[in-house]
Amino acid sequence: MPHSSWLKAVGAAFAVALATATAAHAAPAPASAPAPAPELTAATSVAAVVTLRYDDSRAGGWEAAIAAGVASWNRNVSNVRLVEAAPGTRAEIQIVATSGWPQATLGPVRPGGQVRVELGSQAVSEGYDKTRIATHEMGHSLGLPDTKPGPCSQLMSGSAAGTSCTNAVPNATERSRVESAYAGGLASLVPADGRTLVDAP
């Protein structure tokens, strides 16, 4: 056998032996790799959002305050969304204007259930901010009780914060309580409290 052929044969044999030895000492592959955790997709998030409709057709004079209150809640909580009900359709949150003190049914209101919000002009005539009133009363519909006495930074302190308070944004604790009440769409299984909370000082 010529020298060059002999070198090729020895090299090939060495390569085969090396590959066999490497394969014999390699760690065996796991029987089955654990499945990766499912990712939270946009579709998953949307599926968990509870939509609640409100009817303010009998709340003349409060339209701007209601719109601002709805926008505040929709900006600050992610798993419940307030939308205006189409004319003639049933709404979970009935909003009416009255001449007395603001008051509301304590939720959390279920989809298909119903609570009432009364936006009383007596509070406005005494100097309280309309947007704060509307946002506060919607907070009752979402399951938040009053936190009186309390500072202006607490939306649910209501009239206890005084007439100079115009804060209409729920704080972190209030947001967390609403998120918890509607987690995974579970508000559909939790009945509203049903009590009427009157927000007079």
Side-chain angles (χ1 to χ4, degrees):
M1 174 182 291
H3 184 66
S4 61
S5 297
W6 180 83
L7 284 176
K8 286 182 184 174
V10 169
F14 179 74
V16 169
L18 182 61
T20 304
T22 303
H25 290 89
S32 61
E39 291 184 21
L40 183 63
T41 63
T44 306
S45 300
V46 171
V49 174
V50 175
T51 299
L52 299 173
R53 295 160 298 174
Y54 67 91
D55 176 5
D56 64 354
S57 60
R58 293 183 292 152
W62 287 84
E63 294 87 355
I66 293 167
V70 166
S72 180
W73 280 113
N74 286 343
R75 269 194 313 269
N76 286 286
V77 294
S78 60
N79 60 358
V80 59
R81 183 154 188 83
L82 303 176
V83 298
E84 188 170 5
T89 63
R90 180 180 170 83
E92 285 83 10
I93 304 173
Q94 291 286 328
I95 306 175
V96 299
T98 70
S99 59
W101 280 98
Q103 55 186 288
T105 311
L106 181 59
V109 62
R110 307 179 309 252
Q114 196 165 74
V115 293
R116 180 179 171 91
V117 166
E118 295 185 11
L119 300 176
S121 61
Q122 187 172 346
V124 178
S125 66
E126 296 204 13
Y128 292 97
D129 182 72
K130 289 179 89 170
T131 299
R132 179 172 165 86
I133 292 169
T135 313
H136 173 96
E137 299 306 327
M138 290 178 207
H140 287 321
S141 299
L142 299 176
L144 296 178
D146 287 312
T147 54
K148 297 179 180 180
C152 182
S153 59
Q154 292 177 352
L155 174 64
M156 301 314 293
S157 66
S159 59
T163 56
S164 63
C165 179
T166 60
N167 172 44
V169 177
N171 67 17
T173 300
E174 293 163 336
R175 294 193 300 267
S176 177
R177 288 188 67 174
V178 171
E179 294 275 2
S180 178
Y182 289 90
L186 293 180
S188 60
L189 305 176
V190 179
D193 182 288
R195 286 178 292 159
T196 298
L197 303 181
V198 179
D199 287 302

